[in-house]
Amino acid sequence: MIFQPVLNVFLLVLLCAPVAALAVLALTRAKGRDKALWVMRLVMLLACFVMFLRPGIPGGATETLDTDTDIVLVVDTTASIVAEDWDGDQPRLDGVRADVQAIVDEYPGARFALITFDASADLRMPLTTDTTSLVSSLDVLRPEVTSQSRGSSIGLANQLLADTLSNAATASPDRSRMVFYFGDGEQTVTTDPESFDGSARFTDAGAVLGYGTAEGGPMQLTTGSVDGSGSGEYIEYQGSNALSVIDEGNLEAIAEQLGVDYQHRTADAELTLPDAPSTTTSYSESGSVGNVTELYWIAALVVVALLGVELARTSMLVARLRLLRARPARAARGDRGRREEPLADADPSTGATRGTDTAGGAA
């Protein structure tokens, strides 16, 4: 038997003890049926106290995988990330979302950070174990507005990634760090891509994941609308739809700089993920709190039953009081009715009532 009190036990005692003392005092002074009522109220108070203690039976310990790792996701959000050549004619961003979910499932207990880049690099989410928020952020993620695009570099996030990894290493030196880069490798500015060499010494594992095809895919104009729907129109180049083509050479260079593997992603291929560093993967026992059969509901049923008795008794007393008040009122109305009955008319000359003979005979 274990207890998980809703408040500190000392506070629970302070709250219940004065009420219990008053109930015991009333019990010692009560007579007849009142004694049974105060005993019932003491039992109700005790049941409330037990309910607040939240008793339970441990359900046994279970082993859960705990990945003691910080994982940084770097996602390309330029216009090309919605090029329609994933799984036929779906945007590449759908593949990114599916792979992020697979990574979250593969490394339970890890902390995740999200970096996006287009015209600038942004830390969308700092390191957190809240994977629900991470997935939600990916669900609402939209590429840059087409009209504001001025070209981008696939290495633009290099400094932000290095800073994020360095801060994580300083704050938690015992944790390992993994980096996953998601993009198509398409360099749309004339300068050479920035290098990720500065992040390599902080990176223990990870992967560079490439999206797109050699044939390329058309890109819808993005307007930044709240609902995330496309404009229905496509980016054009020389009178026809512009095509975004994957550049695997650039992506392989990024993988080499980070010291991780490169994978070309397609919808029909299973994502291959590296193992979390062995020094930071452990099995921990849970169950003392998480797997407990709760018993507080038994005390709650006792409280409900006794409250039902109190309510029934109170209803009967109220009905009886109303009945007692109604009886004098009806009696008073009956007396007034009798006093107000009209008397027979009297003859003013003789004093006899009309219709009778003063001598005792008929008038």
Short mmCIF file of all heavy atoms in Angstrom, two decimals, residues 272-326:
data_model
loop_
_atom_site.label_atom_id
_atom_site.label_comp_id
_atom_site.label_asym_id
_atom_site.label_seq_id
_atom_site.Cartn_x
_atom_site.Cartn_y
_atom_site.Cartn_z
N THR A 272 16.52 4.87 -41.99
CA THR A 272 17.51 4.17 -41.18
C THR A 272 18.13 5.16 -40.21
O THR A 272 18.72 6.16 -40.63
CB THR A 272 18.62 3.56 -42.07
OG1 THR A 272 18.02 2.67 -43.02
CG2 THR A 272 19.63 2.82 -41.22
N LEU A 273 17.99 4.88 -38.93
CA LEU A 273 18.48 5.81 -37.90
C LEU A 273 19.61 5.18 -37.11
O LEU A 273 19.58 3.98 -36.82
CB LEU A 273 17.33 6.19 -36.96
CG LEU A 273 16.19 6.99 -37.59
CD1 LEU A 273 15.05 7.16 -36.60
CD2 LEU A 273 16.68 8.35 -38.06
N PRO A 274 20.62 5.96 -36.75
CA PRO A 274 21.72 5.42 -35.94
C PRO A 274 21.28 5.18 -34.51
O PRO A 274 20.32 5.79 -34.02
CB PRO A 274 22.77 6.54 -36.03
CG PRO A 274 21.97 7.79 -36.21
CD PRO A 274 20.79 7.40 -37.06
N ASP A 275 21.99 4.30 -33.85
CA ASP A 275 21.72 4.07 -32.43
C ASP A 275 22.15 5.29 -31.63
O ASP A 275 23.12 5.98 -31.97
CB ASP A 275 22.48 2.84 -31.93
CG ASP A 275 21.97 1.57 -32.56
OD1 ASP A 275 20.80 1.53 -32.96
OD2 ASP A 275 22.78 0.62 -32.69
N ALA A 276 21.40 5.55 -30.55
CA ALA A 276 21.86 6.59 -29.64
C ALA A 276 23.17 6.13 -29.01
O ALA A 276 23.37 4.93 -28.81
CB ALA A 276 20.81 6.84 -28.55
N PRO A 277 24.10 7.04 -28.73
CA PRO A 277 25.38 6.63 -28.13
C PRO A 277 25.15 5.73 -26.92
O PRO A 277 24.35 6.03 -26.05
CB PRO A 277 26.01 7.96 -27.74
CG PRO A 277 25.44 8.94 -28.72
CD PRO A 277 24.04 8.48 -28.97
N SER A 278 25.87 4.62 -26.89
CA SER A 278 25.61 3.60 -25.87
C SER A 278 25.83 4.11 -24.45
O SER A 278 25.20 3.62 -23.52
CB SER A 278 26.51 2.38 -26.12
OG SER A 278 27.88 2.77 -26.12
N THR A 279 26.73 5.08 -24.28
CA THR A 279 27.01 5.57 -22.93
C THR A 279 25.87 6.39 -22.37
O THR A 279 25.84 6.69 -21.18
CB THR A 279 28.28 6.44 -22.93
OG1 THR A 279 28.10 7.50 -23.88
CG2 THR A 279 29.49 5.63 -23.33
N THR A 280 24.90 6.76 -23.19
CA THR A 280 23.83 7.61 -22.71
C THR A 280 22.46 6.94 -22.85
O THR A 280 21.45 7.59 -22.73
CB THR A 280 23.80 8.94 -23.48
OG1 THR A 280 23.63 8.66 -24.88
CG2 THR A 280 25.09 9.71 -23.27
N THR A 281 22.45 5.65 -23.11
CA THR A 281 21.19 4.92 -23.20
C THR A 281 21.08 4.00 -22.01
O THR A 281 21.96 3.16 -21.79
CB THR A 281 21.10 4.11 -24.50
OG1 THR A 281 21.27 5.01 -25.59
CG2 THR A 281 19.76 3.42 -24.61
N SER A 282 20.06 4.14 -21.23
CA SER A 282 19.92 3.33 -20.03
C SER A 282 18.48 2.89 -19.86
O SER A 282 17.57 3.47 -20.44
CB SER A 282 20.36 4.12 -18.79
OG SER A 282 19.53 5.26 -18.63
N TYR A 283 18.28 1.84 -19.06
CA TYR A 283 16.96 1.37 -18.72
C TYR A 283 16.66 1.78 -17.29
O TYR A 283 17.45 1.55 -16.39
CB TYR A 283 16.86 -0.15 -18.87
CG TYR A 283 16.82 -0.61 -20.30
CD1 TYR A 283 17.99 -0.89 -20.99
CD2 TYR A 283 15.62 -0.74 -20.97
CE1 TYR A 283 17.96 -1.30 -22.32
CE2 TYR A 283 15.57 -1.14 -22.28
CZ TYR A 283 16.74 -1.42 -22.96
OH TYR A 283 16.70 -1.82 -24.26
N SER A 284 15.53 2.43 -17.11
CA SER A 284 15.16 2.87 -15.77
C SER A 284 13.83 2.25 -15.38
O SER A 284 12.98 2.00 -16.23
CB SER A 284 15.06 4.40 -15.73
OG SER A 284 14.07 4.84 -16.64
N GLU A 285 13.68 2.01 -14.08
CA GLU A 285 12.44 1.43 -13.59
C GLU A 285 11.44 2.51 -13.24
O GLU A 285 11.79 3.53 -12.68
CB GLU A 285 12.71 0.58 -12.34
CG GLU A 285 13.41 -0.73 -12.64
CD GLU A 285 13.42 -1.63 -11.44
OE1 GLU A 285 13.02 -1.17 -10.35
OE2 GLU A 285 13.80 -2.80 -11.58
N SER A 286 10.19 2.27 -13.62
CA SER A 286 9.10 3.13 -13.21
C SER A 286 8.00 2.23 -12.69
O SER A 286 8.03 1.03 -12.89
CB SER A 286 8.58 3.96 -14.39
OG SER A 286 8.04 3.12 -15.39
N GLY A 287 7.03 2.78 -12.02
CA GLY A 287 5.95 1.95 -11.52
C GLY A 287 5.52 2.34 -10.12
O GLY A 287 4.36 2.21 -9.77
N SER A 288 6.44 2.85 -9.29
CA SER A 288 6.08 3.24 -7.94
C SER A 288 5.05 4.35 -7.95
O SER A 288 4.26 4.49 -7.04
CB SER A 288 7.32 3.70 -7.18
OG SER A 288 7.91 4.80 -7.81
N VAL A 289 5.05 5.15 -8.99
CA VAL A 289 4.05 6.21 -9.13
C VAL A 289 3.19 5.99 -10.34
O VAL A 289 1.98 6.09 -10.32
CB VAL A 289 4.74 7.60 -9.20
CG1 VAL A 289 3.71 8.68 -9.49
CG2 VAL A 289 5.46 7.91 -7.91
N GLY A 290 3.82 5.62 -11.46
CA GLY A 290 3.08 5.55 -12.72
C GLY A 290 2.12 4.39 -12.81
O GLY A 290 1.06 4.52 -13.41
N ASN A 291 2.48 3.22 -12.25
CA ASN A 291 1.63 2.03 -12.37
C ASN A 291 1.02 1.70 -11.02
O ASN A 291 1.45 0.77 -10.34
CB ASN A 291 2.46 0.85 -12.90
CG ASN A 291 3.01 1.13 -14.26
OD1 ASN A 291 2.33 1.69 -15.10
ND2 ASN A 291 4.26 0.75 -14.49
N VAL A 292 0.03 2.46 -10.62
CA VAL A 292 -0.60 2.29 -9.31
C VAL A 292 -2.09 2.07 -9.50
O VAL A 292 -2.75 2.77 -10.28
CB VAL A 292 -0.37 3.53 -8.42
CG1 VAL A 292 -1.13 3.39 -7.11
CG2 VAL A 292 1.11 3.71 -8.15
N THR A 293 -2.63 1.06 -8.80
CA THR A 293 -4.08 0.86 -8.77
C THR A 293 -4.66 1.75 -7.68
O THR A 293 -4.45 1.52 -6.49
CB THR A 293 -4.41 -0.62 -8.49
OG1 THR A 293 -3.79 -1.44 -9.49
CG2 THR A 293 -5.91 -0.84 -8.49
N GLU A 294 -5.39 2.78 -8.08
CA GLU A 294 -5.92 3.76 -7.14
C GLU A 294 -7.06 3.15 -6.31
O GLU A 294 -7.90 2.40 -6.82
CB GLU A 294 -6.46 4.98 -7.89
CG GLU A 294 -5.42 5.71 -8.74
CD GLU A 294 -4.58 6.66 -7.92
OE1 GLU A 294 -4.75 6.70 -6.69
OE2 GLU A 294 -3.77 7.39 -8.52
N LEU A 295 -7.08 3.48 -5.00
CA LEU A 295 -8.12 2.99 -4.10
C LEU A 295 -8.93 4.12 -3.46
O LEU A 295 -9.85 3.85 -2.68
CB LEU A 295 -7.49 2.13 -2.98
CG LEU A 295 -6.73 0.88 -3.43
CD1 LEU A 295 -6.12 0.19 -2.22
CD2 LEU A 295 -7.66 -0.06 -4.19
N TYR A 296 -8.60 5.37 -3.78
CA TYR A 296 -9.31 6.49 -3.15
C TYR A 296 -10.79 6.48 -3.47
O TYR A 296 -11.61 7.03 -2.73
CB TYR A 296 -8.69 7.82 -3.58
CG TYR A 296 -8.96 8.19 -5.00
CD1 TYR A 296 -10.09 8.92 -5.35
CD2 TYR A 296 -8.10 7.79 -6.02
CE1 TYR A 296 -10.35 9.25 -6.65
CE2 TYR A 296 -8.35 8.13 -7.32
CZ TYR A 296 -9.48 8.86 -7.64
OH TYR A 296 -9.75 9.17 -8.96
N TRP A 297 -11.17 5.85 -4.59
CA TRP A 297 -12.57 5.85 -5.00
C TRP A 297 -13.45 5.11 -3.99
O TRP A 297 -14.66 5.39 -3.90
CB TRP A 297 -12.71 5.22 -6.38
CG TRP A 297 -12.19 3.82 -6.48
CD1 TRP A 297 -10.93 3.41 -6.80
CD2 TRP A 297 -12.95 2.62 -6.24
NE1 TRP A 297 -10.84 2.05 -6.78
CE2 TRP A 297 -12.05 1.53 -6.45
CE3 TRP A 297 -14.27 2.35 -5.89
CZ2 TRP A 297 -12.45 0.21 -6.30
CZ3 TRP A 297 -14.67 1.03 -5.75
CH2 TRP A 297 -13.78 -0.02 -5.95
N ILE A 298 -12.87 4.16 -3.23
CA ILE A 298 -13.67 3.45 -2.21
C ILE A 298 -14.10 4.42 -1.12
O ILE A 298 -15.27 4.45 -0.72
CB ILE A 298 -12.84 2.29 -1.61
CG1 ILE A 298 -12.47 1.29 -2.71
CG2 ILE A 298 -13.62 1.62 -0.49
CD1 ILE A 298 -11.57 0.16 -2.23
N ALA A 299 -13.14 5.25 -0.65
CA ALA A 299 -13.50 6.26 0.35
C ALA A 299 -14.48 7.27 -0.23
O ALA A 299 -15.38 7.75 0.46
CB ALA A 299 -12.23 6.97 0.83
N ALA A 300 -14.33 7.59 -1.52
CA ALA A 300 -15.25 8.54 -2.16
C ALA A 300 -16.67 7.99 -2.18
O ALA A 300 -17.64 8.73 -1.96
CB ALA A 300 -14.78 8.86 -3.57
N LEU A 301 -16.81 6.68 -2.42
CA LEU A 301 -18.15 6.06 -2.40
C LEU A 301 -18.78 6.14 -1.01
O LEU A 301 -19.99 6.36 -0.87
CB LEU A 301 -18.06 4.60 -2.87
CG LEU A 301 -17.80 4.37 -4.36
CD1 LEU A 301 -17.69 2.87 -4.64
CD2 LEU A 301 -18.92 4.99 -5.19
N VAL A 302 -17.95 5.93 0.03
CA VAL A 302 -18.45 6.04 1.40
C VAL A 302 -18.95 7.46 1.67
O VAL A 302 -20.02 7.66 2.25
CB VAL A 302 -17.35 5.65 2.41
CG1 VAL A 302 -17.81 5.91 3.84
CG2 VAL A 302 -16.97 4.18 2.24
N VAL A 303 -18.19 8.46 1.25
CA VAL A 303 -18.60 9.85 1.45
C VAL A 303 -19.91 10.14 0.73
O VAL A 303 -20.82 10.77 1.28
CB VAL A 303 -17.48 10.81 0.95
CG1 VAL A 303 -17.97 12.25 0.99
CG2 VAL A 303 -16.24 10.65 1.81
N VAL A 304 -20.02 9.67 -0.51
CA VAL A 304 -21.25 9.91 -1.28
C VAL A 304 -22.45 9.25 -0.61
O VAL A 304 -23.54 9.84 -0.51
CB VAL A 304 -21.07 9.38 -2.72
CG1 VAL A 304 -22.40 9.39 -3.47
CG2 VAL A 304 -20.05 10.23 -3.48
N ALA A 305 -22.27 8.02 -0.12
CA ALA A 305 -23.38 7.32 0.54
C ALA A 305 -23.83 8.05 1.81
O ALA A 305 -25.03 8.24 2.04
CB ALA A 305 -22.96 5.89 0.87
N LEU A 306 -22.87 8.49 2.62
CA LEU A 306 -23.22 9.19 3.86
C LEU A 306 -23.83 10.56 3.58
O LEU A 306 -24.74 11.01 4.29
CB LEU A 306 -21.99 9.32 4.75
CG LEU A 306 -21.40 7.99 5.25
CD1 LEU A 306 -20.17 8.24 6.09
CD2 LEU A 306 -22.46 7.22 6.07
N LEU A 307 -23.34 11.22 2.54
CA LEU A 307 -23.96 12.49 2.14
C LEU A 307 -25.40 12.28 1.68
O LEU A 307 -26.28 13.10 1.94
CB LEU A 307 -23.15 13.15 1.02
CG LEU A 307 -21.88 13.89 1.44
CD1 LEU A 307 -21.14 14.40 0.21
CD2 LEU A 307 -22.22 15.07 2.35
N GLY A 308 -25.64 11.14 1.02
CA GLY A 308 -27.00 10.82 0.61
C GLY A 308 -27.92 10.66 1.81
O GLY A 308 -29.07 11.13 1.80
N VAL A 309 -27.42 10.02 2.87
CA VAL A 309 -28.22 9.87 4.09
C VAL A 309 -28.52 11.23 4.70
O VAL A 309 -29.64 11.52 5.12
CB VAL A 309 -27.48 8.96 5.09
CG1 VAL A 309 -28.23 8.91 6.42
CG2 VAL A 309 -27.33 7.56 4.53
N GLU A 310 -27.49 12.10 4.76
CA GLU A 310 -27.68 13.44 5.32
C GLU A 310 -28.70 14.23 4.51
O GLU A 310 -29.56 14.92 5.06
CB GLU A 310 -26.34 14.18 5.36
CG GLU A 310 -25.42 13.77 6.49
CD GLU A 310 -25.81 14.44 7.81
OE1 GLU A 310 -26.91 15.03 7.88
OE2 GLU A 310 -25.00 14.38 8.76
N LEU A 311 -28.61 14.16 3.19
CA LEU A 311 -29.55 14.90 2.35
C LEU A 311 -30.98 14.38 2.52
O LEU A 311 -31.94 15.17 2.56
CB LEU A 311 -29.12 14.80 0.88
CG LEU A 311 -27.86 15.59 0.50
CD1 LEU A 311 -27.46 15.29 -0.95
CD2 LEU A 311 -28.12 17.09 0.65
N ALA A 312 -31.12 13.05 2.60
CA ALA A 312 -32.46 12.48 2.79
C ALA A 312 -33.05 12.92 4.13
O ALA A 312 -34.23 13.30 4.22
CB ALA A 312 -32.38 10.94 2.72
N ARG A 313 -32.22 12.90 5.17
CA ARG A 313 -32.69 13.33 6.49
C ARG A 313 -33.05 14.81 6.48
O ARG A 313 -34.08 15.22 7.04
CB ARG A 313 -31.60 13.07 7.54
CG ARG A 313 -31.95 13.53 8.94
CD ARG A 313 -30.85 13.16 9.92
NE ARG A 313 -31.09 13.78 11.21
CZ ARG A 313 -30.74 15.02 11.54
NH1 ARG A 313 -30.11 15.78 10.63
NH2 ARG A 313 -31.01 15.52 12.74
N THR A 314 -32.23 15.63 5.82
CA THR A 314 -32.52 17.06 5.75
C THR A 314 -33.82 17.32 4.99
O THR A 314 -34.63 18.17 5.39
CB THR A 314 -31.36 17.79 5.06
OG1 THR A 314 -30.16 17.56 5.80
CG2 THR A 314 -31.61 19.28 5.00
N SER A 315 -34.04 16.59 3.92
CA SER A 315 -35.28 16.77 3.14
C SER A 315 -36.50 16.41 3.98
O SER A 315 -37.52 17.10 3.93
CB SER A 315 -35.22 15.89 1.88
OG SER A 315 -34.14 16.26 1.05
N MET A 316 -36.40 15.34 4.77
CA MET A 316 -37.51 14.95 5.62
C MET A 316 -37.79 16.01 6.69
O MET A 316 -38.94 16.35 6.97
CB MET A 316 -37.21 13.61 6.29
CG MET A 316 -37.16 12.43 5.32
SD MET A 316 -36.64 10.89 6.10
CE MET A 316 -37.92 10.71 7.34
N LEU A 317 -36.73 16.58 7.28
CA LEU A 317 -36.92 17.62 8.29
C LEU A 317 -37.55 18.87 7.70
O LEU A 317 -38.42 19.49 8.32
CB LEU A 317 -35.57 17.97 8.94
CG LEU A 317 -34.95 16.88 9.83
CD1 LEU A 317 -33.57 17.32 10.30
CD2 LEU A 317 -35.86 16.60 11.03
N VAL A 318 -37.14 19.24 6.50
CA VAL A 318 -37.72 20.42 5.85
C VAL A 318 -39.19 20.19 5.54
O VAL A 318 -40.04 21.06 5.76
CB VAL A 318 -36.94 20.75 4.56
CG1 VAL A 318 -37.67 21.81 3.74
CG2 VAL A 318 -35.53 21.23 4.90
N ALA A 319 -39.53 18.99 5.04
CA ALA A 319 -40.93 18.68 4.75
C ALA A 319 -41.77 18.69 6.03
O ALA A 319 -42.90 19.20 6.05
CB ALA A 319 -41.02 17.32 4.05
N ARG A 320 -41.23 18.15 7.12
CA ARG A 320 -41.96 18.13 8.39
C ARG A 320 -42.16 19.55 8.93
O ARG A 320 -43.23 19.89 9.44
CB ARG A 320 -41.20 17.28 9.40
CG ARG A 320 -41.93 17.06 10.71
CD ARG A 320 -41.11 16.19 11.64
NE ARG A 320 -40.82 14.90 11.02
CZ ARG A 320 -40.02 14.00 11.57
NH1 ARG A 320 -39.42 14.27 12.73
NH2 ARG A 320 -39.80 12.85 10.98
N LEU A 321 -41.15 20.39 8.80
CA LEU A 321 -41.26 21.78 9.26
C LEU A 321 -42.33 22.53 8.48
O LEU A 321 -43.12 23.29 9.05
CB LEU A 321 -39.90 22.47 9.12
CG LEU A 321 -39.84 23.93 9.58
CD1 LEU A 321 -40.19 24.04 11.06
CD2 LEU A 321 -38.43 24.49 9.33
N ARG A 322 -42.38 22.31 7.19
CA ARG A 322 -43.41 22.98 6.38
C ARG A 322 -44.81 22.51 6.78
O ARG A 322 -45.77 23.29 6.81
CB ARG A 322 -43.17 22.71 4.90
CG ARG A 322 -41.96 23.44 4.34
CD ARG A 322 -41.75 23.10 2.89
NE ARG A 322 -40.65 23.86 2.31
CZ ARG A 322 -40.20 23.71 1.07
NH1 ARG A 322 -40.76 22.80 0.28
NH2 ARG A 322 -39.19 24.45 0.64
N LEU A 323 -44.93 21.22 7.10
CA LEU A 323 -46.23 20.68 7.51
C LEU A 323 -46.67 21.29 8.84
O LEU A 323 -47.84 21.66 9.01
CB LEU A 323 -46.14 19.16 7.62
CG LEU A 323 -47.43 18.43 8.03
CD1 LEU A 323 -48.52 18.67 7.00
CD2 LEU A 323 -47.17 16.93 8.19
N LEU A 324 -45.73 21.42 9.79
CA LEU A 324 -46.07 22.01 11.08
C LEU A 324 -46.48 23.47 10.93
O LEU A 324 -47.36 23.95 11.65
CB LEU A 324 -44.88 21.89 12.04
CG LEU A 324 -44.54 20.45 12.49
CD1 LEU A 324 -43.27 20.45 13.32
CD2 LEU A 324 -45.70 19.86 13.28
N ARG A 325 -45.84 24.20 10.04
CA ARG A 325 -46.22 25.60 9.81
C ARG A 325 -47.57 25.71 9.12
O ARG A 325 -48.30 26.67 9.32
CB ARG A 325 -45.15 26.30 8.97
CG ARG A 325 -43.84 26.55 9.73
CD ARG A 325 -42.85 27.25 8.84
NE ARG A 325 -41.63 27.58 9.55
CZ ARG A 325 -40.57 28.17 9.01
NH1 ARG A 325 -40.60 28.49 7.71
NH2 ARG A 325 -39.51 28.44 9.73
N ALA A 326 -47.89 24.75 8.30
CA ALA A 326 -49.14 24.81 7.55
C ALA A 326 -50.35 24.55 8.45
O ALA A 326 -51.42 25.13 8.25
CB ALA A 326 -49.11 23.81 6.40
#
